[in-house]
Each structure stands twice: as C-alpha cells, then as structure tokens.
Amino acid sequence: MLWVPAAFLVVAACKLQLIFRQGQQDGLPMHEGSRGEAHDPNIAIRYELDSHKRAKCLDGSSATYYHAQGTDRDGGTKWLIYMQGGGWCTEVHALANVHGYSHAEDVGHPELCSSRTRNYHGSSRWDRPTRNLSGKGFLSGNPGENPLHAWHRVIVRYCDGTLFLSSSGSSSSSSS
C-alpha cells in the first residue's frame, strides 16, 4: 500500500488551486454553456496546461485536466480533485524487469518511460475533448450516485511517470 503524507496532499491541492486561478486569469474557460444552454453536470471538459512550461507528459505533450462544472448554490466553492494514478516508470532496465512484477498488468508496475510515451500514461495527445462522468461513482454528476454531485469535479490526468512527485527536465524519447 502506498502511503502519501498529508502534507503532500495539501501542497498538491494548493498547487491545483493556483493552476485554476492562473487559468481564470489567462482567460481559460472555466464554465461551459456560454450560449445559455443547460450544462450537463456529467460532462467534463478537457483543458491543456500549455502555458505552464513544466507541466508536461513524458512525451512532451501538455499536461491536461478535465473539469465538470459544479451546480451548488453557494457559488461553486466546493471542489473534488481526483489525481489519476498510473504507476511510475524508469529508464533503468534492471528496475523495469524486477522479478515479481507482471508485465501483463496495465498499471502499477515499473516500465520504461521511453516505452510509456506511446500510451495513455505517458501522453495527452489522444485525450478526448470531453469525458462523460455518468456511472463513475464519486465523479458523477448524478444525485442518486454521488453525494458530492453538485461540486466542481476535476480529473488531473496522469502522464508524467513520477506519481505527481516531480517534473522532468526533458521529455523521454521513443525508439519506435
């Protein structure tokens, strides 16, 4: 079981608040339904952090997040932030082939970062413009499914290979 210090989670939440504030100052749309149409609370919109030069995936593509608009009456001050998992990666072949790890597993084992640049956990290139959160438990906008349905819900995409612990000075290269 991975233990994450509470201080790390507080720092991560503070960093995300700064990113959202910066996004609002940079003119990034934080609310959908600009033509007055009703907003579907289960649709999360994709945003790129391309103005943040160190917020990069393993392949150098921009880090992304999805935001589903909150519907609470108190001005949308409540946020649920889900930091997606995906496992760490390495460029040390001996670590990527440690006995006991199954390479048949999709997540949770060390793999080569240069290989990961070609898949979901190393790139945001193939991210969809929206995600439907209906049926996704605590991310859902349905009152019968999620007691926090009226909160802003954010999915921070995982694509850096470091478990959100640091950033790389350069992108990994793929040898395909």
Side-chain angles (χ1 to χ4, degrees):
M1 182 172 151
L2 176 66
W3 180 78
V4 179
F8 170 75
L9 294 176
V10 170
V11 169
C14 291
K15 285 184 178 183
L16 287 169
Q17 280 186 326
L18 291 174
I19 288 170
F20 289 120
R21 284 186 190 145
Q22 183 63 45
Q24 288 172 326
Q25 291 171 0
D26 290 347
L28 291 176
M30 300 304 287
H31 304 281
E32 290 301 307
S34 58
R35 289 186 217 120
E37 67 268 14
H39 175 75
D40 184 341
N42 279 307
I43 301 300
I45 309 297
R46 176 182 184 238
Y47 297 97
E48 290 188 23
L49 297 174
D50 50 3
S51 64
H52 299 274
K53 65 181 181 174
R54 294 187 64 183
K56 300 291 180 192
C57 296
L58 285 171
D59 69 344
S61 58
S62 295
T64 61
Y65 66 92
Y66 287 87
H67 173 233
Q69 180 71 36
T71 60
D72 57 348
R73 297 182 190 267
D74 64 359
T77 60
K78 296 178 182 174
W79 292 77
L80 183 143
I81 300 172
Y82 172 61
M83 297 178 74
Q84 189 179 50
W88 59 280
C89 65
T90 181
E91 280 305 307
V92 178
H93 287 269
L95 289 176
N97 295 307
V98 172
H99 178 72
Y101 287 112
S102 167
H103 289 283
E105 297 173 17
D106 291 331
V107 178
H109 66 285
E111 62 183 329
L112 294 176
C113 294
S114 55
S115 297
R116 189 178 280 188
T117 62
R118 297 186 300 267
N119 70 37
Y120 179 78
H121 287 119
S123 179
S124 64
R125 285 187 215 172
W126 305 283
D127 284 2
R128 300 176 302 249
T130 61
R131 292 181 81 161
N132 188 334
L133 303 180
S134 180
K136 303 292 185 205
F138 67 91
L139 292 171
S140 173
N142 297 330
E145 185 178 354
N146 179 10
L148 309 177
H149 69 277
W151 293 22
H152 290 277
R153 287 151 290 124
V154 176
I155 301 170
V156 179
R157 273 275 286 114
Y158 176 80
C159 64
D160 71 346
T162 66
L163 298 172
F164 296 106
L165 296 175
S166 67
S167 62
S168 174
S170 63
S171 61
S172 294
S173 61
S174 169
S175 58
S176 61

